[in-house]
Amino acid sequence: MLDISGLNIFHGNIQVVWDLGLTVNEGEMVALIGPNGAGKSTTVETIVGLNRNATGSITFLGEHILGLHPYDIFKKGLALVPEKREIFPKMPVIENLLLGAGDRTDWEMSLQRLYNLFPILHEREQQMAGTLSGGEQQMLAIGRALMSEPKLLILDEPSTGLSPILVAQVFRSLERLGRGGTTILLLEQNVRHALELCERGYVLENGRIVLEGKTKNLMHEKHIQKAYLGI
Ligand SMILES: Nc1ncnc2c1ncn2[C@@H]1O[C@H](COP(=O)(O)OP(=O)(O)OP(=O)(O)O)[C@@H](O)[C@H]1O
Ligand SMILES: [Mg+2]
């Protein structure tokens, strides 16, 4: 579905990602893990067209997308839940969700499915988004992305700033989403949760992929255990 090879990314004149290769197959959940500043957000911002200062190849469903504008990439079925959530605090939950539907007219089914996944958003439908708890706001950000019925959903560190209980809640929702067939690329620093949830993973450090493979194998890598799992 998503196929990246030889990707180099720059901020101004400074290169921050080197020769990155990554694939996501349909129906798969894939983790991209790595420490602060590794280049995770930079990579997905490039995938969705927010940063076009890059060389290499990115194809989505067989089409080259590197260099396209964000809206054109979004239209092809690629949605990002950004690191900073970017919900509209002074608007009710329902209006935030409908913004995610864009110009789709057949959003009712999506909304019903979403409310099944996140019943709390149904309960809080009319509440101002800014008054939701951190975990609820994260669910809203995910929900808004789902309203576009994306073929690939990319999540940039959904566990950031959440208490362990809320992290577990968000990961349970992602698990249900994945079981429902949604294809997911998950960026995380919460390595344990990410490796448990996803089937395959990539480890990005200082702008380079240093390890990749099935998560059940990655969990047994010495480097992962020492650097990320505290074993
Ligand atoms: N707009 C920018 N201009 C210049 N440098 C940037 C910009 N955005 C990010 N960088 C730099 O690029 C590198 C990668 O940053 P990035 O945000 O992609 O890391 P990350 O893996 O997402 O980290 P985190 O887990 O902290 O979100 C960092 O060194 C960062 O300082
Ligand atoms: Mg980031």
Side-chain angles (χ1 to χ4, degrees):
M1 182 175 258
L2 179 71
D3 209 335
I4 303 177
S5 65
L7 185 63
N8 296 293
I9 314 176
F10 305 81
H11 284 300
N13 293 324
I14 299 172
Q15 184 163 2
V16 292
V17 170
W18 281 264
D19 194 27
L20 181 134
L22 182 155
T23 59
V24 181
N25 301 308
E26 186 168 355
E28 225 182 0
M29 295 219 236
V30 174
L32 177 60
I33 59 176
N36 287 120
K40 302 182 297 297
S41 297
T42 298
T43 299
V44 296
E45 282 158 11
T46 306
I47 296 172
V48 301
L50 293 168
N51 177 355
R52 275 168 274 151
N53 192 358
T55 63
S57 164
I58 306 177
T59 63
F60 180 60
L61 297 168
E63 284 182 89
H64 287 280
I65 57 167
L66 180 57
L68 298 187
H69 287 264
Y71 186 69
D72 295 326
I73 295 174
F74 171 75
K75 283 300 228 185
K76 291 184 189 299
L78 222 159
L80 169 67
V81 181
E83 205 165 14
K84 296 200 177 83
R85 293 178 199 153
E86 290 163 16
I87 58 164
F88 295 93
K90 298 258 161 76
M91 279 166 67
V93 166
I94 179 71
E95 285 183 29
N96 270 274
L97 290 174
L98 291 181
L99 277 176
D103 53 14
R104 288 183 61 214
T105 50
D106 54 342
W107 48 264
E108 297 254 11
M109 279 276 289
S110 310
L111 190 65
Q112 281 320 312
R113 252 211 307 269
L114 191 67
Y115 282 165
N116 276 331
L117 183 68
F118 301 122
I120 191 76
L121 294 181
H122 196 186
E123 281 170 43
R124 302 289 158 101
E125 188 170 61
Q126 300 303 332
Q127 190 172 321
M128 292 301 146
T131 63
L132 295 174
S133 76
E136 291 164 356
Q137 289 188 22
Q138 186 57 260
M139 290 174 199
L140 177 57
I142 297 170
R144 189 180 52 185
L146 288 174
M147 285 297 285
S148 67
E149 295 285 343
K151 299 189 176 92
L152 172 62
L153 179 67
I154 304 180
L155 300 125
D156 193 348
E157 303 206 35
S159 72
T160 301
L162 302 184
S163 71
I165 289 175
L166 290 181
V167 171
Q169 235 176 63
V170 167
F171 271 88
R172 269 199 303 278
S173 329
L174 295 181
E175 193 185 349
R176 265 189 295 161
L177 258 182
R179 267 200 251 112
T182 305
T183 309
I184 292 177
L185 175 61
L186 174 70
L187 278 56
E188 262 301 338
Q189 280 192 62
N190 194 323
V191 170
R192 187 179 299 275
H193 269 109
L195 292 182
E196 280 169 2
L197 178 73
C198 296
E199 292 116 60
R200 281 195 310 118
Y202 294 83
V203 184
L204 187 66
E205 291 178 359
N206 297 315
R208 296 173 206 269
I209 301 283
V210 295
L211 274 173
E212 63 179 274
K214 292 216 161 99
T215 49
K216 64 173 196 283
N217 298 332
L218 289 177
M219 272 183 242
H220 296 108
E221 287 280 345
K222 271 254 151 1
H223 176 63
I224 302 268
Q225 296 191 338
K226 261 183 82 169
Y228 299 100
L229 299 174
I231 298 176

